[in-house]
Every structure is written in C-alpha cells, then in structure tokens.
Amino acid sequence: MGDESRSKCRAVCFISGNGTNLQAIIDNINDKALQIDLISVISDNPKAKGLDRAEKEGINTKIIDDSSFQNRKDFDECFEKEMIALNPDLIILAGYMKILSRSFCLRFTGRILNIHPSLLPKYKGLNTHQRVIDDQEELHGASVHFVTPELDDGPVIIQYQFNIENHDDRHSLQEKVQRGEYIIYSKAIQWFSEDRLSFESEKLCLDGAPLSEPRIIKKS
Ligand code: GAR
C-alpha cells in the first residue's frame, strides 16, 4: 500500500484516555511520514481527551461505552458488528484499556496492533512502570505487537529500550516510555500500510522474512 497508485490503508484507532499516541499518529499523517487513512476514532470512554484531538482534525469519532449495555456480551457483539461494517484494514489500539473479546481478536487476527508500556513479554497488564522500579530492573521501554486473544501476548514487532537511571520514578519512566512509543508505533503502522509487515497463519513477517526477534530502537 506504499506507492501512491495503491489505495491507502484504512485504519481505525481505539482509545480510552489522553490519546497522546493518537496525536503522534495524526501528526505523522499530517507530516506525510505516515500514509494511512484514519477513518475513525472509537472510544469506550466518553470523556477521553483523545476524542477532542480527533474532532479537532475532522476525524470521525464514536463512543461505544459499555455502561450503556445490559451486559458485556451485548457490548462485545455491538463492537464487533461495528467493525465488521467498517471493515478497516488495520485497527490501532492506542491506550485502549478494554480487553477485546476472543471472538473479536480471532476475527481480526493480523489486523490489530497494540502498544504496551513495557518490554514484553515482561510486565503484561497494568502499572508497568512501578512494577519495573519495584523489581529494580535496569532496562525498560515499550513494545508494539499484533493482538491475539491472550492479553498482551501477541508477537512483538518492535521495541523501544532505554536504561533506567537512579533518579527515575514512575512518572519519569512514563514520560520516557511514551516518547519512545510515538516513534515505534508509527514505524510499525507504516510497515503494515506498505504491506511489509504481516501476521498470518501464526507467522510474523517483515519484508518477506520471518521476524523471530523484535526490531529494537535504543534511546539515543
Ligand atoms: C500508553 O503508554 C500505552 O502504552 C498504554 O496506555 C498509554 C496511553 O497513553 N497502553 C496500555 O497500557 C495498554 N495495555 P495515551 O492515551 O496518551 O496514548
């Protein structure tokens, strides 16, 4: 999908909060560093700041809030139907804090990317920065991976890594991780949009070759 004659990758972004990763993606699209068509931003949280960021850019937004459903099953079904109707090439999870249903993950396997604030497979789940400090880790960072039904478990494509310094706390770690996230997420999305990156039949490939280890970008 890289060259101009081909149609652009139609992407949808899911958010739950601040949306700084979404903003970085929008900025890269505007700077032409990222050639995707961001057709919609969907939030489970009506108050997500990321919704304002999208609206400011004229991007279609939608709130799918689970509290307005009778139960989780109805919410999951509505969400899946919505995506089937939109049929995006790519679903970008950018700080989306709801766990996607198994059915959803299987239906869109190879089309969902997530950014996670740790060096996966370490520190899946929440509160990663504090857990890294508590464990006196030396390295920290962020990972972009394809989404599979198991939480934060899909194959890792690219990581941003840096050394933790003595004075770091969870706030400084969060800031450093996020700075790296903005770099690696757009890189992975661009690879996908150029058909360079795929996850099919459980095989992760970049540029036509299996990717057995994630690409690493170190903080300069
Ligand atoms: C990001 O740091 C992202 O890695 C994390 O939420 C933050 C969202 O920030 N995602 C997860 O923890 C998912 N498990 P943002 O809303 O400013 O982009």
Side-chain angles (χ1 to χ4, degrees):
M1 291 175 198
D3 69 75
E4 293 291 319
S5 59
R6 280 200 278 177
S7 57
K8 275 192 193 165
C9 169
R10 292 168 65 255
V12 172
C13 194
F14 293 1
I15 58 163
S16 297
N18 196 358
T20 61
N21 274 284
L22 167 66
Q23 187 65 58
I25 291 166
I26 291 172
D27 292 346
N28 281 328
I29 293 172
N30 290 343
D31 291 346
K32 309 223 178 316
L34 199 48
Q35 278 86 40
I36 62 167
D37 190 5
L38 191 52
I39 56 174
S40 188
V41 170
I42 297 179
S43 175
D44 62 313
N45 170 13
K47 295 193 179 130
K49 188 162 172 226
L51 288 169
D52 301 336
R53 298 177 190 273
E55 275 156 19
K56 218 169 126 204
E57 296 293 324
I59 300 167
N60 176 277
T61 59
K62 181 152 192 156
I63 297 159
I64 307 183
D65 175 5
D66 66 345
S67 66
S68 55
F69 290 83
Q70 291 271 329
N71 53 50
R72 180 67 205 231
K73 191 170 162 279
D74 289 355
F75 168 76
D76 286 337
E77 280 175 10
C78 167
F79 211 66
E80 197 168 326
K81 274 194 194 137
E82 195 75 34
M83 267 328 99
I84 291 168
L86 268 181
N87 193 25
D89 300 307
L90 178 64
I91 296 168
I92 300 167
L93 308 186
Y96 183 69
M97 303 312 277
K98 276 242 133 40
I99 295 174
L100 295 169
S101 71
R102 183 175 178 80
S103 158
F104 189 99
C105 293
L106 292 176
R107 181 181 291 277
F108 294 102
T109 301
R111 287 201 266 165
I112 318 173
L113 292 177
N114 183 41
I115 183 107
H116 183 76
S118 79
L119 296 174
L120 290 171
K122 286 185 150 187
Y123 304 101
K124 297 174 181 176
L126 298 175
N127 206 11
T128 56
H129 311 306
Q130 190 57 52
R131 286 159 61 208
V132 158
I133 291 173
D134 293 346
D135 288 352
Q136 302 184 337
E137 292 280 1
E138 289 177 1
L139 268 185
H140 191 30
S143 307
V144 178
H145 66 96
F146 276 105
V147 170
T148 55
E150 290 71 36
L151 184 68
D152 300 331
D153 197 49
V156 180
I157 302 152
I158 185 167
Q159 292 185 320
Y160 175 79
Q161 289 187 353
F162 61 89
N163 290 308
I164 298 174
E165 293 171 90
N166 286 338
H167 56 78
D168 274 322
D169 59 16
R170 70 188 164 89
H171 302 290
S172 66
L173 288 187
Q174 177 175 350
E175 209 183 302
K176 289 179 188 181
V177 162
Q178 290 212 313
R179 245 181 276 145
E181 288 184 340
Y182 307 149
I183 300 165
I184 60 172
Y185 215 1
S186 284
K187 226 179 230 311
I189 294 166
Q190 183 62 16
W191 288 340
F192 184 91
S193 75
E194 292 171 341
D195 286 340
R196 294 173 56 192
L197 174 69
S198 64
F199 176 52
E200 281 161 23
S201 311
E202 306 207 347
K203 277 198 209 94
L204 178 65
C205 287
L206 181 62
D207 292 333
L211 189 64
S212 50
E213 296 288 329
R215 293 285 164 94
I216 305 290
I217 294 197
K218 288 195 190 277
K219 181 174 179 278
S220 46

